[in-house]
Amino acid sequence: MDKQYPWKRAEDMEIDLADFLYRLCSKWKQLAVCALAAAFVLGGYGWIKGQDGTDTPTDPAGAGLTEEEGQAVTSAVQLAQEIDSLEAYLDGSILMKLDPYHKDRYIMVYSIDHANRQEIAKITESYLNFLCNGGAAGALQGYGSKDWEIDKSYLSELIYAYQKTYSSPYQVVVDGQADKSVFSESLFYVEVTGENAKMAEKMAMAIQVLLEEYAAGVKKEAGSHILTLISSETNCTADSGLQAQQHDKKALLATNKASLKTMTDAFGAAQTAAYEEATGKEGRQKELEKAASTGSMKRVIKYVIVGLMAGMFVYSAVFFGRYLFLDQIKSPEEIKRQYTFPVLGAILLEGSVGKYSRKLPGTKVQLLNRIRLSCNKQGVDRLCAASGGPFSVQERKCLEEIAQQLKSCGIDLAVVENVRTDVAVWDKLWETGTVILVCKIGATTHRMVDDMMGFYLENGITVAGAAVFM
């Protein structure tokens, strides 16, 4: 037992963590308001900080370009256009998408017969020009098949015609005959490439029809002759030339992209703006602005989260400080741990809510009977229910009802308030000789209890126990 305060079990006050957490959670509205306020303040600070020019990775527009800077921009624009064209070609060209190790072809051999020796060259070149320089591709587009509804330039790559070196017009010199009466013949090859063998054959059949139609015009313009399909053959071969061509195009695209990136990375703000205006693309400036916008939003979200956590922490810290340093009695269990006198009962007033509202049924009846048993044990028939402060209307009414019921048991209970300040009641307490200490949770302080216990001890007044109002 402590020598200075014999009514105390321990001088140090213990913290009831469960009670603290309950009280903190019961203040969830205030906690939420504090957290939201902190989140709003810090979120606003993060947004303002994001608007700071020194924190935004954008390049301001320059005043103008020097001749050297302008030439650099022009070169970059030309290179960008070349890259776009090359990408479009690689994306649209069937030839660039073929497997060079399995190239499907359909080869046809045509013969030009009964042509005048002086006209054979014109006739042959007319067919080669039609096949190699886009005439056949244009006619093929209007042929009505969806298999080759592509750009004419890409379709022209799939059609190729040629003569072999030994296919020169056969020269026949007839002694004594005029040149006009001498006939010659010529051979030429037509090679059709397709995505697969079926497509190549289908295109070749269409070209056969187109050549027959075209022959009528050649006969009229270049001279009379007979066009005959001698033979045709399908073929799948490995084309090293095509493989090299594909490789060169892709390597050129990669090199150009790397060069363009090097050029644009070295640009200043004015050059970047001029380059973007010339190309019409979302260039470096747009990317920087997008990155800045994304970074600003992330910053605001980060500050909002930090604000929520900081607000909850600050409120919890302040609440803990009040809980720890305010000298109020917080629960009946705290009285049991801290003091030697017994807790006779806890009274939950009507209309009260909280963690004790469902745990303390019939508390007034329990308190009444424990007072009666204590009085019988100690042989006391007179005592006072004394409080260091004033009673509320409900508290006084409750104690008067208990006093009325105890009176029928031969026990006189007087209700006394303001013991610490009202000198007039001291004589009544001394005459009675026994008191019940009335404590109010959240209002009665440990200092008030110590003052009253010191007064009772000095004047030989016995404390039978404590009654607690929740």
Side-chain angles (χ1 to χ4, degrees):
M1 182 181 293
D2 190 274
K3 294 182 180 180
Q4 185 177 2
Y5 301 109
W7 55 87
K8 284 189 175 184
R9 296 183 187 276
E11 191 65 30
D12 297 330
M13 185 176 63
E14 297 180 5
I15 297 176
D16 187 345
L17 184 60
D19 181 69
F20 166 74
L21 292 176
Y22 170 79
R23 290 174 180 270
L24 178 62
C25 293
S26 67
K27 301 292 184 180
W28 66 269
K29 292 182 179 180
Q30 294 87 332
L31 182 67
V33 169
C34 185
L36 291 174
F40 178 78
V41 172
L42 287 183
Y45 170 76
W47 182 81
I48 294 173
K49 186 177 180 181
Q51 302 306 308
D52 188 359
T54 58
D55 193 54
T56 304
T58 57
D59 294 330
L65 299 176
T66 65
E67 182 179 355
E68 184 179 352
E69 291 174 339
Q71 291 176 352
V73 171
T74 301
S75 299
V77 171
Q78 292 175 349
L79 187 58
Q81 293 173 348
E82 182 179 344
I83 289 173
D84 290 342
S85 299
L86 186 54
E87 286 180 334
Y89 171 71
L90 290 174
D91 184 60
S93 174
I94 294 178
L95 195 64
M96 290 296 103
K97 297 177 182 178
L98 294 180
D99 181 0
Y101 301 102
H102 296 84
K103 180 180 176 183
D104 291 300
R105 302 183 300 169
Y106 193 94
I107 303 169
M108 298 177 288
V109 182
Y110 277 91
S111 170
I112 301 174
D113 300 312
H114 294 84
N116 189 283
R117 181 174 62 86
Q118 294 178 340
E119 297 173 345
I120 191 65
K122 293 189 298 182
I123 296 171
T124 304
E125 291 300 329
S126 295
Y127 286 112
L128 295 178
N129 182 57
F130 174 73
L131 292 166
C132 294
N133 296 322
L140 198 62
Q141 282 186 316
Y143 195 73
S145 176
K146 296 182 179 180
D147 292 338
W148 43 77
E149 288 184 354
I150 58 176
D151 189 84
K152 183 178 178 181
S153 61
Y154 303 145
L155 193 57
S156 297
E157 293 181 320
L158 305 178
I159 305 171
Y160 180 56
Y162 58 92
Q163 284 185 293
K164 293 189 176 181
T165 55
Y166 58 81
S167 63
S168 299
Y170 179 65
Q171 302 288 336
V172 178
V173 180
V174 180
D175 295 336
Q177 291 185 348
D179 291 342
K180 293 184 179 180
S181 63
V182 177
F183 292 99
S184 298
E185 63 181 16
S186 176
L187 299 176
F188 66 88
Y189 292 75
V190 181
E191 180 181 311
V192 180
T193 303
E195 290 181 333
N196 48 56
K198 183 178 180 181
M199 177 183 176
E201 182 177 2
K202 189 174 181 180
M203 287 179 63
M205 296 301 103
I207 289 174
Q208 288 182 27
V209 176
L210 294 174
L211 282 175
E212 291 175 1
E213 295 175 354
Y214 183 72
V218 175
K219 291 177 183 178
K220 181 178 179 182
E221 299 295 334
S224 177
H225 64 280
I226 298 176
L227 180 67
T228 306
L229 175 63
I230 300 175
S231 66
S232 60
E233 191 67 46
T234 58
N235 177 259
C236 182
T237 184
D239 191 340
S240 59
L242 176 59
Q243 192 273 337
Q245 185 180 358
Q246 291 178 343
H247 178 269
D248 292 343
K249 296 291 186 184
K250 293 176 182 177
L252 178 61
L253 178 62
T255 301
N256 287 349
K257 284 185 174 181
S259 299
L260 180 61
K261 186 178 186 303
T262 302
M263 295 172 68
T264 54
D265 286 347
F267 282 173
Q271 287 177 295
T272 301
Y275 170 77
E276 291 172 359
E277 183 178 357
T279 56
K281 296 181 179 180
E282 183 185 88
R284 184 184 175 199
Q285 187 72 16
K286 296 294 183 182
E287 293 175 357
L288 290 174
E289 290 176 357
K290 185 177 180 181
S293 176
T294 303
S296 178
M297 182 58 63
K298 289 182 178 179
R299 183 183 299 105
V300 171
I301 293 175
K302 180 181 71 175
Y303 274 94
V304 167
I305 294 174
V306 172
L308 289 172
M309 297 177 64
M312 291 188 290
F313 175 78
V314 170
Y315 184 86
S316 300
V318 172
F319 188 86
F320 179 76
R322 288 176 54 84
Y323 183 88
L324 182 64
F325 294 108
L326 286 180
D327 197 33
Q328 298 170 346
I329 294 176
K330 303 174 181 64
S331 66
E333 290 76 13
E334 183 179 345
I335 298 176
K336 295 176 182 179
R337 293 194 305 268
Q338 194 77 13
Y339 299 102
T340 58
F341 51 80
V343 176
L344 299 177
I347 303 174
L348 187 66
L349 299 175
E350 294 181 3
S352 299
V353 294
K355 68 176 182 178
Y356 296 105
S357 59
R358 298 182 181 180
K359 295 182 179 180
L360 298 172
T363 51
K364 186 166 66 174
V365 175
Q366 293 178 1
L367 176 61
L368 184 149
N369 284 282
R370 292 192 68 176
I371 292 174
R372 180 178 58 80
L373 293 175
S374 179
C375 290
N376 292 336
K377 181 179 179 180
Q378 299 179 28
V380 176
D381 58 1
R382 296 181 61 193
L383 73 165
C384 294
S387 171
F391 288 119
S392 67
V393 176
Q394 281 185 307
E395 292 167 350
R396 176 173 286 279
K397 180 181 178 181
C398 179
L399 290 174
E400 288 176 350
E401 290 177 355
I402 293 176
Q404 188 68 27
Q405 295 179 32
L406 287 174
K407 191 172 184 180
S408 62
C409 299
I411 300 173
D412 183 15
L413 177 66
V415 180
V416 181
E417 60 184 359
N418 295 322
V419 173
R420 300 174 64 211
T421 57
D422 191 356
V423 180
V425 303
W426 289 358
D427 291 338
K428 186 173 183 178
L429 293 173
W430 182 80
E431 291 175 359
T432 304
T434 304
V435 298
I436 294 175
L437 191 65
V438 179
C439 300
K440 293 186 282 187
I441 299 300
T444 303
T445 65
H446 291 277
R447 183 175 180 179
M448 292 171 63
V449 174
D450 291 340
D451 289 346
M452 288 186 292
M453 290 299 296
F455 173 79
Y456 298 148
L457 185 63
E458 291 173 0
N459 293 278
I461 299 174
T462 303
V463 178
V468 182
F469 279 108
M470 306 300 300

